[in-house]
Amino acid sequence: MTALPDSDLAGYLRSYVQEMAFSQEDPGVVLDRYHTPDVVWFNDGLRLDRQRLIDHARPARRTVSTCRLDIHDTLTCGDRIAARYTLHAVARGRPVASDIHLFGRLAPDGRLHRVDTLTRTLPPREMS
């Protein structure tokens, strides 16, 4: 069952990341399951629309071999959400980790309409 951001924010984060990185399903189908067609995602100030998010998923599917999230905090209040988590992955055989702070606005159907993320790549000594 799909975990929508409005009802299970931690479940959404885990499901969305896993499906975008490892699913055989078309990235557009995965994106549309969790986000509105006019979604706007700002990642560290860079504006990503639906097509740019799909385009970002394709190379990730070729280079990422593992991915897990440590979810530290989630908050839902009306049509707004927030989460703080660490993404751990192995890409091209090398471990990478990022702290992520996510803020979002939900559409009436429970999918995300706008997302703002701030990220910090962790140095190797902080990755565990």
Side-chain angles (χ1 to χ4, degrees):
M1 176 159 171
T2 299
L4 286 178
D6 68 336
S7 61
D8 182 5
L9 185 51
Y12 151 77
L13 291 168
R14 288 186 181 100
S15 297
Y16 176 67
V17 168
Q18 287 297 312
E19 290 177 37
M20 282 303 266
F22 303 113
S23 174
Q24 297 302 311
E25 202 168 18
D26 181 88
V29 172
V30 174
L31 186 74
D32 293 344
R33 183 176 301 127
Y34 299 103
H35 307 90
T36 61
D38 58 346
V39 65
V40 177
W41 192 307
F42 288 90
N43 185 59
D44 294 332
L46 178 64
R47 184 182 194 279
L48 303 167
D49 61 12
R50 181 181 182 278
Q51 191 57 54
R52 288 188 74 183
L53 288 164
I54 292 168
D55 293 345
H56 176 74
R58 296 184 198 286
R61 287 182 172 190
R62 292 189 300 271
T63 60
V64 174
S65 57
T66 65
C67 186
R68 73 176 169 81
L69 301 181
D70 291 333
I71 299 173
H72 309 296
D73 297 296
T74 63
L75 177 66
T76 302
C77 183
D79 69 344
R80 295 174 188 243
I81 62 162
R84 185 176 64 87
Y85 59 99
T86 304
L87 183 143
H88 300 270
V90 175
R92 295 185 179 99
R94 296 172 45 181
V96 294
S98 296
D99 277 336
I100 301 170
H101 293 81
L102 178 145
F103 305 91
R105 171 140 301 157
L106 299 167
D109 67 1
R111 295 182 296 165
L112 275 164
H113 171 70
R114 180 184 169 113
V115 178
D116 290 270
T117 53
L118 302 171
T119 66
R120 177 178 73 102
T121 301
L122 297 175
R125 69 182 183 283
E126 293 183 44
M127 284 190 188
S128 56

